[in-house]
Structure formats: structure tokens, C-alpha cells
Amino acid sequence: MQEVKVKKLSPNARLPVYGTAFSAGADLCACLDEPVTLQPGETKLISIGISMEIPEGYAGLVFARSGLATKRNLAPANKVGVIDSDYRGEFFVPLHNHGAVPQTIEHGERIAQMILTPYLTAKFIEAETLSDTVRGEGGFGSTGVK
């Protein structure tokens, strides 16, 4: 298991926590002085109240929590947040209300989940040609739906 240093920026902040022994994503909790209401179509940055030392070669990917998205229409505005290993600032989630009614976030509420994952970097080189494949230049929908 990978150890990751987490710094509380507020005494009321909560460390990320896994919901079950086999959860891939660790829940991120809102760190608020007072409840925040998001109107329909509105996005607000919600503080998590922590910073983190993500190990080199890893990234934190921040996703919606499925229950919050399906039951309350709340999900990160950027769909998937990417936290780089050299970032040491405060964590925020740009939460968006996709629904038709206002939604209120309370302190300590689990608002997103983060997956810590290794990644590769590439050296991009310009080329005149690329290798052929069966798909070729077939774009969106080119592989069919069934």
C-alpha cells in the first residue's frame, strides 16, 4: 500500500477515506465553515481543506461520486480533475449542479472521489507518416454501436 502525506489546512478537514476495503476511489469531503448552496446550472469551488504530497510518477484523478451524481445531479464541473505530483496547494472540487433544483453541501459531506494512479510521460516527436491500422482514420462512431 502506497503511503501519501496529507496536510490538513483546517482543523475541521477530513483525510481522504475509502468507503470499503475494495474501493478504488478515496472519498474527498467538503471542508466548509457554513453550508454552500448550488443553484441549478451553477458551479462553485468547494474546499476539501487539505493539501497532499502525491508521489512522483503518480497522479490523483478526481471523479464524481456515483450516488451524488445520480441522486442529486452534482458532479465535478471539469468531469475529471488531475492533481499532479508537484502540486502542493489546497484541494478544491469545482462542483456543478446539473439538476433543476438547488442543492446544499454540508461540511464533511463526501463530494468526490480520488484515485491515485501511476502514469507514463511521453516524448512527442513529429512524424511525416504513421503506421497503418484496421481502423485507420475512422473517428467518432466508426467502430459501431453493437
Side-chain angles (χ1 to χ4, degrees), residues 6-17 27-33 47-52 90-91 107-109:
V6 179
K7 181 179 178 181
K8 283 187 171 186
L9 304 175
S10 165
N12 296 326
R14 298 184 181 170
L15 270 57
V17 62
D27 292 329
L28 300 176
C29 300
C31 184
L32 304 170
D33 294 328
S47 172
I48 304 302
I50 62 171
S51 57
M52 196 177 290
E90 183 173 359
F91 283 22
H107 171 75
E109 192 170 343

Side-chain angles (χ1 to χ4, degrees), residues 18 24-26 59-63 113-117:
Y18 293 98
L61 302 181
V62 179
F63 296 94
Q113 60 182 321
M114 183 186 74
I115 296 176
L116 187 66
T117 186

Side-chain angles (χ1 to χ4, degrees), residues 59-144:
L61 302 181
V62 179
F63 296 94
R65 294 191 69 249
S66 58
L68 201 64
T70 57
K71 295 176 183 175
R72 295 181 53 201
N73 294 305
L74 296 172
N78 56 343
K79 308 304 179 212
V80 178
V82 178
I83 305 169
D84 298 312
S85 64
D86 59 349
Y87 178 66
R88 294 294 184 272
E90 183 173 359
F91 283 22
F92 290 91
V93 173
L95 205 58
H96 182 78
N97 182 353
H98 293 275
V101 298
Q103 294 289 336
T104 300
I105 300 298
E106 305 281 343
H107 171 75
E109 192 170 343
R110 297 174 298 161
I111 62 166
Q113 60 182 321
M114 183 186 74
I115 296 176
L116 187 66
T117 186
Y119 66 89
L120 300 173
T121 56
K123 180 179 179 182
F124 298 99
I125 56 172
E126 187 175 351
E128 293 294 323
T129 60
L130 302 175
S131 63
D132 289 329
T133 67
V134 172
R135 182 175 182 173
E137 293 181 15
F140 297 110
S142 66
T143 61

